[in-house]
Amino acid sequence: MLSKINIFFTLFFIVSCVGCTHSPETSEFTYVYSMESVNNFKVEMQLNPDSTYKIGRYDYFFDKYEGKSKPAYKEGTLKADEFDAFRSLIQKSELARMKDAYGFEEGRNSDNAVIYMIQLTQGGKTKFITVKAGSTEFPEAFNRLVKFSGNFMNEKLME
């Protein structure tokens, strides 16, 4: 009898541990990242729960002089390791705990500032974060996510 109780609790413990490691909130997400300098340029990316992505690049400054808009777009499907890397970085950055805005204190000059915007939709909730370049008050995990996002977009747009 004691053996059956031990087996039951062992199985219960194993099932509980497996259930805790797979959170539905971290498996299904939509991640939107953009970097913009008003009237100069904008790059944006959207990652969807089905591993598809869409990237857009707009060169407003040069388009004004040429008299026509020439945005660059790239669409595709993330490789499994790329999707897992984004999922891991998003989870580690704990975006839900971050403030909504960084670097927009009164008195700071905003002319031609580069602005980073993140939108994360997970578990039916959406979190928006806006960061003015030069701000240093956010977590290091966020820095890694922003750097990875920028490198990913550059790589895909160069293909």
Side-chain angles (χ1 to χ4, degrees), residues 107-118:
R108 288 186 65 183
N109 185 2
S110 294
D111 293 343
N112 296 323
V114 175
I115 308 295
Y116 299 91
M117 292 169 273
I118 303 269

Side-chain angles (χ1 to χ4, degrees), residues 22-45:
H22 180 70
S23 169
E25 286 188 3
T26 59
S27 63
E28 295 260 337
F29 64 88
T30 301
Y31 171 72
V32 179
Y33 167 87
S34 71
M35 179 176 65
E36 179 175 8
S37 175
V38 178
N39 293 323
N40 290 312
F41 72 89
K42 179 178 182 177
V43 288
E44 62 184 347
M45 167 183 65

